[in-house]
Amino acid sequence: MNLSGNTILITGGASGIGYEMAKEFIKNKNTVIVTGRNEQKLQKVKAELKDVVTIKSDVSNPDDVKALYEQVAKDFPALNVLINNAGVMLEVNLQKHKLSPTDLTKEIDINVKGTIWMIDAFLPLLKKNKNAATVIVSSGLAFVPLPISAVYCATKAALHSYTLSLREQLRNTDVKVFELAPPATETELLAGFNPGDRKGVSVMSVQTMVAAFLTGFSNDKFEICPGQSSQLRFMSRFFPSFILKQLSKPVARMHAAN
Ligand SMILES: NC(=O)c1ccc[n+]([C@@H]2O[C@H](COP(=O)([O-])OP(=O)(O)OC[C@H]3O[C@@H](n4cnc5c(N)ncnc54)[C@H](OP(=O)(O)O)[C@@H]3O)[C@@H](O)[C@H]2O)c1
């Protein structure tokens, strides 16, 4: 993929990985649209990255997805890259929680349904344009779960599987299908987690992670697994019980805290 001259939509681009991608793509002379649910965060991004287009839109709301598609198809008909980055991650004690049924599965609504709905809506536009691509942001935790975030990891494993199928189904089109599986990356997503659970985890800076993504994207590397994400993939294949045991250590801390 070319790193310049694209029209790119990034879901969840008001912070973290999506924001850093937006910044880099703007630097490289692309037209960049970012979405998110929080108008104030979007206004801040607009003030910082002057050339960015911001649109308030929730990927887990089908009406928002439809309205977003209509607006983008009308105002940015050259859209050729869709980056499905929006995501949330919760720690949930499955034996003892106070979440409503809807909140218990909201990661599925945002991470999985949101991605599938966005791709379904935007595929006709991507197919019309040259040099088209979609990127699915999964996680190193797609390959082996971190049990304290059981639903999150299930969503990322689902996205990995969906991406493999999507890539095969789109082989007869010009739309390339990328999976970015970030390792632990220093963003707001990790802020709510216990720092003690990070033993043995090297948290990547968001700049380094996005630089690795851009290198993979520009080389048409369809599965991009920076840093420890690639190690998780390797360990899940060759030492699955060992790596699951390592990632299960925070369960004891979670039980003690509840
Ligand atoms: N950081 C890591 O260690 C790590 C590791 C592996 C994978 N990832 C993945 O990387 C992606 C980006 O996460 P991040 O680390 O950059 O965290 P982040 O800073 O929290 O970014 C997530 C973004 O998604 C947006 N978002 C959440 N729900 C949304 C919805 N329903 N509709 C539209 N936007 C929504 C959030 O904005 P609003 O709340 O304003 O909507 C936020 O800007 C996620 O898919 C995450 O699972 C992160």
Side-chain angles (χ1 to χ4, degrees), residues 10-19 35-39 41-42 57-61 64 84-89 106 109-111 114-115 137-141 152 155-156 159 180-190 203-204 206 209:
I10 306 172
T11 65
S15 62
I17 293 168
Y19 176 87
T35 69
R37 296 167 300 178
N38 182 319
E39 186 61 48
K41 267 168 73 177
L42 290 169
S57 182
D58 179 344
V59 295
S60 67
N61 178 335
D64 275 18
N84 300 280
N85 165 73
V88 290
M89 178 178 186
K106 87 170 173 196
D109 295 333
I110 296 172
N111 304 358
T115 298
V137 181
S138 63
S139 169
L141 297 175
Y152 175 81
T155 68
K156 295 299 181 174
L159 284 181
L180 168 64
T185 305
E186 198 65 64
T187 68
E188 283 171 23
L189 192 93
L190 295 188
V203 180
M204 215 177 231
V206 71
M209 215 295 295

Side-chain angles (χ1 to χ4, degrees), residues 236-252:
S236 72
R237 280 184 193 162
F238 297 105
F239 305 99
S241 307
F242 172 80
I243 192 63
L244 179 59
K245 203 169 161 200
Q246 293 303 110
L247 291 183
S248 299
K249 286 181 179 169
V251 171

